[in-house]
Amino acid sequence: MEWITIIGLMAGSLTTISFLPQAIKTWRSKSAKDISLAMFLCFCLGVILWIIYGLFIMDIPVLVTNIVTLILAGTILFFKLKYK
């Protein structure tokens, strides 16, 4: 594996993991009142576009990290819509 791929995977992993504490907090508290719906809708749409981009250029770090990010951010978005 090339060093640039490793850097990409590390960068994507760190930014992806940053959503985990918010997802856990929202799930445990059953409250998403302080989370911006517009921000998470825009963010999830942007991540979907990154996944499409990653598919076109066949870039593993872009694909893997954005798929995991979409799962975490999508979970927060789901909680936002569920708990309002």
Side-chain angles (χ1 to χ4, degrees):
M1 189 177 301
E2 292 186 33
W3 65 271
I4 197 70
T5 302
I6 293 169
I7 290 172
L9 285 168
M10 288 172 53
S13 295
L14 289 171
T15 55
T16 297
I17 289 169
S18 70
F19 283 92
L20 193 56
Q22 184 65 59
I24 292 169
K25 181 180 185 286
T26 305
W27 176 56
R28 286 184 179 164
S29 69
K30 307 284 192 264
S31 174
K33 65 180 175 130
D34 293 329
I35 294 174
S36 168
L37 178 60
M39 181 271 186
F40 267 88
L41 285 171
C42 288
F43 184 79
C44 286
L45 179 58
V47 172
I48 289 168
L49 293 174
W50 273 115
I51 292 168
I52 293 168
Y53 174 76
L55 284 169
F56 276 104
I57 66 168
M58 294 307 296
D59 189 300
I60 296 300
V62 171
L63 281 170
V64 171
T65 58
N66 281 290
I67 288 169
V68 176
T69 298
L70 183 60
I71 291 167
L72 291 172
T75 300
I76 296 168
L77 180 59
F78 170 79
F79 289 149
K80 176 63 179 174
L81 295 172
K82 182 176 179 179
Y83 301 135
K84 298 190 185 204

